[in-house]
Amino acid sequence: MNLENIPNHVAIILDGNGRWATNRGLNRSEGHKAGLDRLKNLSDYIIKRGVKILSVFAFSTENFKRDKKEVDYLMHLFAGGLKDSIKFFSNKNIKVIISGRRINLPKNVIKTIDVLQEKTENNTAGILNICLNYGGKAEIVDTARKIAYLVQNKELTVDEIDEELFSKNLYNDLPPVDLMIRTGGELRISNFMIYECAYAEFYFTNTYFPDFDELEFEKALDSFNERNRKFGGLK
Ligand code: IPE
Ligand code: IPE
Ligand code: MG
C-alpha cells in the first residue's frame, strides 16, 4: 500500500538564480533565464506527482529595489519568456493564474499574463499560481480594502467578516499552503504568502533554484512525509 502523503498546495520561493549564474561566471540575467526554464519542467513534474496547486514566488513587491537593469531584464523575461510558455502550459493542461499587484508592471507584461491566464483557464491537470509583483503584506492590505469597500457598499456587514471570508477575498481563492519550499539557502519567508502559510510545513535547501530538479523535489516530499501536522491539536 502506498502511504505517501502528497501536499495539496505547494509553494516555492525560487531563490538563488543570481548566485547560480555568478558561480558560473555568467551574469545574473542568465540565472533568471535558467530559473524560468527550470520552472516550466518542474511545475509539470510537481503537478503530475499529484499536487493540485503550485504557487511560485517570481518577483516580490520589494524586488523593484534592485538595479534598473536587472528589473528591466526580469520584466522582459515575464513579457517574452512567459508568452513563449503559453503553448507549453496548454499542452500540459496546466491552468496558470497570476497573483500580485498589476500596478507598476509594464504594459507588455500585463498583456502576456492576461493572455496566459485566458488561454489556460479551462485546463484541469492542476494550477500554477505565479506570484508577480507580489507581497504577502500587500495582499493582506489589498484584501482588507476590498472587504472594507464591500461593507461600505452594504454588500457585507462587519460581523460577517471571519477567517474564511478573508481567505476567499485574497488575490485568488486558494486553499492553505501545505508545504513551503525555499531554495537558495536563506532561512526566511521574505514576505511570501504569510496568510496562506499559517500552518505550512517548511523545507529549506541550499540548492539554487536552477538546480532544483525532480530529485530535489522528491527530497522535500520525503521530508514533508516525516512531519507530524497537528494544527494546534494533540496528535
Ligand atoms: C530569485 O533569485 C529570483 C528573484 C528574486 C527574481 P535571486 O535573484 O534572488 O538570486 P540570488 O538570491 O541573488 O542568488
Ligand atoms: C524572494 O527572494 C523573492 C523571490 C524569490 C521572488 P529575494 O532574493 O528577493 O529575498 P531576500 O531579499 O533574500 O529576502
Ligand atoms: Mg535572492
Side-chain angles (χ1 to χ4, degrees):
M1 196 165 59
N2 184 6
L3 290 173
E4 190 186 37
N5 192 7
I6 301 288
N8 183 51
H9 187 173
V10 172
I12 306 181
I13 300 176
L14 32 89
D15 197 22
N17 290 349
R19 282 164 287 163
W20 180 90
T22 307
N23 284 352
R24 282 169 172 69
L26 304 169
N27 59 45
R28 292 178 58 86
S29 305
E30 305 278 355
H32 295 311
K33 167 104 186 26
L36 180 62
D37 289 342
R38 169 64 64 198
L39 174 65
K40 277 166 48 185
N41 294 311
L42 190 69
S43 56
D44 178 41
Y45 179 75
I46 291 176
I47 284 168
K48 281 204 179 102
R49 214 49 189 81
V51 170
K52 293 280 169 272
I53 300 134
L54 172 65
S55 292
V56 295
F57 206 5
F59 191 89
S60 73
T61 46
E62 292 76 22
N63 286 149
F64 275 114
K65 291 182 199 157
R66 295 190 180 191
D67 287 351
K68 187 180 179 304
K69 222 178 110 204
E70 181 165 353
V71 173
D72 285 351
Y73 180 77
L74 281 161
M75 292 303 150
H76 159 80
L77 203 59
F78 298 138
L82 276 184
K83 193 173 170 202
D84 293 342
S85 68
I86 295 177
K87 219 180 186 162
F88 177 86
F89 291 119
S90 299
N91 288 339
K92 302 292 181 187
N93 195 21
I94 296 171
K95 174 174 174 168
V96 183
I97 60 176
I98 308 290
S99 295
R101 287 185 171 165
R102 290 165 74 91
I103 188 154
N104 294 334
L105 289 177
K107 275 205 185 82
N108 57 354
V109 173
I110 302 261
K111 180 140 194 280
T112 292
I113 61 181
D114 282 347
V115 177
L116 184 57
Q117 291 186 100
E118 195 192 303
K119 296 260 189 223
T120 62
E121 70 183 341
N122 296 319
N123 292 350
T124 54
I127 296 175
L128 172 64
N129 173 34
I130 303 178
C131 298
L132 231 180
N133 194 16
Y134 173 89
K137 285 192 191 177
E139 180 174 31
I140 291 170
V141 168
D142 290 350
T143 303
R145 278 193 193 152
K146 194 161 129 191
I147 291 172
Y149 279 121
L150 291 173
V151 172
Q152 194 180 45
N153 295 337
K154 306 223 170 346
E155 290 172 53
L156 203 67
T157 66
V158 169
D159 291 338
E160 281 174 302
I161 303 170
D162 59 13
E163 290 176 16
E164 202 190 324
L165 180 123
F166 200 90
S167 168
K168 280 197 180 320
N169 281 283
L170 292 168
Y171 289 145
N172 284 289
D173 178 13
L174 298 173
V177 172
D178 300 295
L179 171 63
M180 160 68 75
I181 298 170
R182 181 168 188 146
T183 62
E186 309 293 355
L187 305 178
R188 55 178 172 255
I189 196 164
S190 299
N191 199 16
F192 191 40
M193 299 191 106
I194 49 183
Y195 192 93
E196 297 86 338
C197 279
Y199 263 106
E201 296 295 329
F202 284 73
Y203 178 83
F204 295 99
T205 171
N206 288 329
T207 304
Y208 297 138
F209 185 67
D211 289 331
F212 189 81
D213 60 10
E214 300 174 358
L215 253 158
E216 294 285 334
F217 178 71
E218 289 299 325
K219 285 189 213 163
L221 216 48
D222 287 346
S223 174
F224 179 76
N225 271 273
E226 283 161 15
R227 313 288 175 91
N228 177 19
R229 303 187 79 190
K230 298 200 290 189
F231 299 98
L234 296 172
K235 252 202 258 172

